[in-house]
Amino acid sequence: MIRVEGISKEYKQFARSTGVIGSMRNLFSREHTLLKAVNEISFSIEKGEAVGYLGPNGAGKSTMIKMLTGILVPTSGMVTVNNLVPHKHRKEIAKKVGIVFGQRSQLWWDLPVQDSFDLHKRIYNIHDTDYRTNMNIFLELLNLKEFITQPVRQLSLGQRMRAEIGLALLHNPDILFLDEPTIGLDVIAKDNIRSFIKQMNREHKVSVLLTTHDLKDIEEICPRMLIVNKGELIFDGTVDQLKSNLSPGKLITIEFESNPGNEVELANADLIADHGIRKTFKIDKGLDSAIDFVKRVSKRYPIKDFSLEDSDIEDIIRMYYRSLDNDNNIGIANQEKMSVI
Ligand SMILES: Nc1ncnc2c1ncn2[C@@H]1O[C@H](COP(=O)(O)OP(=O)(O)OP(=O)(O)O)[C@@H](O)[C@H]1O
């Protein structure tokens, strides 16, 4: 469905001098440097997949979405969406994809929301039956009925985003590109948007490619994620793979029958919180060693209860991004690069 082969995008970045003399100089000299915003990236996305596209600021995410939707022309490499080259077949591609840019609107600002949907129907030549079916779905699931007659400029951010997503899906596209769809939304609005996107993906088989800084978006919607850094693809795998490869460990909280003091056997574990009979340990490896640890401890000290916690995905990604900054990607990032890509 989406094929990206060795795609790169270079931007010319012009050096601009400041001050009056500098401004005069800018008129005549156009010195520039080349920035590789996307550097030889390859991946493919199959029908019905939901993929998160993740990376620190400036990693090249929006640039990739713009190339996939035909807004930008790649400097080199091949990209096809439904076997079409996006920048050469913009009209045909537009019929097959829906696009939502969190920071930009596709709705008509001064018109009631309904008018944007009616205009979209005409532009995309949507059949009356399809239009009615989809409008009914969106009125209910996105709760558009709450504000469908209001001008777009009067909508809250959450309402506007619901309308944007409905509009992007009105012509039954095969693929939905979302560039930071939950940016600036409150927790409830984010939840609503996520469950709607998930439903469209799972039930209607709309493929989804989503860029975001909110890892909950990825966790909720996308079983697979691609991570980019400085234009390069550095991870392609599932959220669970990333978690198990990078997880700093599991936390085990044990409630003892009585306080065992400092004598608890600590092999393979760090004591990170000590509240007498309740102690929390961090285990470096996976689930097996955590259970082994509990078994071992329980043989020597009577245990009332215990609980296991995974590291939060936010912690894992934070650690991953930090490792990218260190030692030119030596360490976790490179191990990951080798083991997953
Ligand atoms: N039109 C442009 N001209 C020159 N440089 C650009 C242009 N657009 C983007 N860039 C540069 O390309 C790099 C990648 O930008 P891009 O917007 O794709 O990153 P991003 O991952 O979407 O970032 P963010 O998470 O901050 O939105 C950045 O260094 C940016 O400054």
Side-chain angles (χ1 to χ4, degrees):
M1 174 150 276
I2 297 177
R3 302 263 171 276
V4 173
E5 283 166 32
I7 202 175
S8 296
K9 177 70 192 176
E10 284 178 358
Y11 289 118
K12 278 185 184 171
Q13 293 198 324
F14 292 95
R16 301 186 76 85
S17 313
T18 54
V20 179
I21 297 173
S23 301
M24 299 285 285
R25 197 179 297 137
N26 289 335
L27 293 174
F28 301 102
S29 127
R30 301 293 283 156
E31 281 173 26
H32 67 266
T33 51
L34 283 178
L35 174 90
K36 258 201 171 168
V38 171
N39 192 0
E40 306 248 340
I41 285 187
S42 303
F43 60 85
S44 56
I45 295 176
E46 303 306 329
K47 182 165 174 51
E49 267 199 282
V51 179
Y53 205 73
L54 207 74
N57 288 127
K61 303 179 294 293
S62 301
T63 304
M64 177 59 80
I65 295 276
K66 286 176 188 161
M67 289 193 285
L68 291 171
T69 49
I71 297 169
L72 284 177
V73 182
T75 310
S76 59
M78 260 298 284
V79 54
T80 56
V81 174
N82 273 358
N83 296 321
L84 297 169
V85 177
H87 67 270
K88 288 187 184 156
H89 303 97
R90 284 189 70 171
K91 268 193 185 165
E92 293 91 324
I93 288 283
K95 288 181 193 154
K96 297 286 172 198
V97 307
I99 309 171
V100 176
F101 288 107
Q103 318 251 35
R104 238 169 299 145
S105 181
Q106 303 202 62
L107 297 158
W108 292 79
W109 200 240
D110 289 311
L111 301 182
V113 177
Q114 181 70 64
D115 288 7
S116 288
F117 281 78
D118 292 343
L119 280 165
H120 202 79
K121 175 183 185 292
R122 287 188 202 180
I123 294 167
Y124 284 84
N125 220 355
I126 300 169
H127 198 274
D128 286 346
T129 337
D130 289 341
Y131 180 74
R132 270 197 302 274
T133 310
N134 284 347
M135 278 315 285
N136 286 338
I137 293 176
F138 303 152
L139 286 169
E140 285 307 316
L141 292 183
L142 288 168
N143 203 11
L144 298 192
K145 55 183 187 292
E146 183 189 283
F147 52 81
I148 192 87
T149 54
Q150 272 176 248
V152 173
R153 66 183 140 75
Q154 290 178 2
L155 303 185
S156 72
L157 188 56
Q159 290 171 330
R160 184 173 73 69
M161 196 47 67
R162 271 142 61 196
E164 299 280 358
I165 292 177
L167 192 74
L169 288 168
L170 189 64
H171 58 290
N172 287 327
D174 297 331
I175 306 168
L176 183 61
F177 290 110
L178 299 141
D179 198 1
E180 303 207 37
T182 58
I183 195 165
L185 302 186
D186 69 40
V187 188
I188 306 276
K190 281 184 185 193
D191 276 351
N192 292 338
I193 298 265
R194 284 174 191 142
S195 60
F196 179 75
I197 297 171
K198 200 164 152 182
Q199 190 168 348
M200 295 316 271
N201 170 250
R202 307 289 196 272
E203 287 173 19
H204 297 261
K205 303 289 169 237
V206 179
S207 309
V208 170
L209 182 68
L210 164 98
T211 80
T212 185
H213 288 290
D214 191 325
L215 299 162
K216 275 263 162 17
D217 290 350
I218 306 273
E219 231 179 0
E220 294 279 314
I221 305 167
C222 307
R224 176 182 167 202
M225 64 179 169
L226 305 171
I227 303 184
V228 285
N229 184 48
K230 295 181 184 162
E232 292 186 8
L233 183 63
I234 52 169
F235 178 88
D236 179 352
T238 64
V239 173
D240 284 344
Q241 271 174 321
L242 186 76
K243 272 189 174 180
S244 64
N245 285 2
L246 288 181
S247 174
K250 287 202 184 310
L251 298 182
I252 306 174
T253 299
I254 299 182
E255 199 176 330
F256 294 93
E257 296 278 355
S258 58
N259 187 357
N262 307 332
E263 290 176 17
V264 185
E265 187 184 340
L266 288 177
N268 302 330
D270 295 327
L271 178 66
I272 57 166
D274 191 345
H275 302 288
I277 59 164
R278 272 184 97 242
K279 298 187 196 295
T280 301
F281 304 90
K282 198 180 111 195
I283 300 278
D284 283 337
K285 289 279 179 238
L287 186 68
D288 285 347
S289 64
I291 287 174
D292 285 348
F293 175 76
V294 175
K295 276 187 192 158
R296 217 171 44 239
V297 173
S298 67
K299 274 186 192 151
R300 294 182 55 188
Y301 311 96
I303 281 177
K304 250 184 162 171
D305 200 1
F306 74 94
S307 61
L308 286 180
E309 268 174 57
D310 254 329
S311 302
D312 184 50
I313 188 168
E314 299 258 349
D315 291 339
I316 295 168
I317 296 282
R318 195 174 298 120
M319 199 178 84
Y320 196 52
Y321 284 2
R322 276 202 199 117
S323 76
L324 298 174
D325 284 340
N326 293 338
D327 306 327
N328 291 325
N329 302 356
I330 292 170
I332 298 164
N334 265 359
Q335 287 166 19
E336 193 60 31
K337 208 168 169 174
M338 287 186 283
S339 63
V340 180
I341 288 207

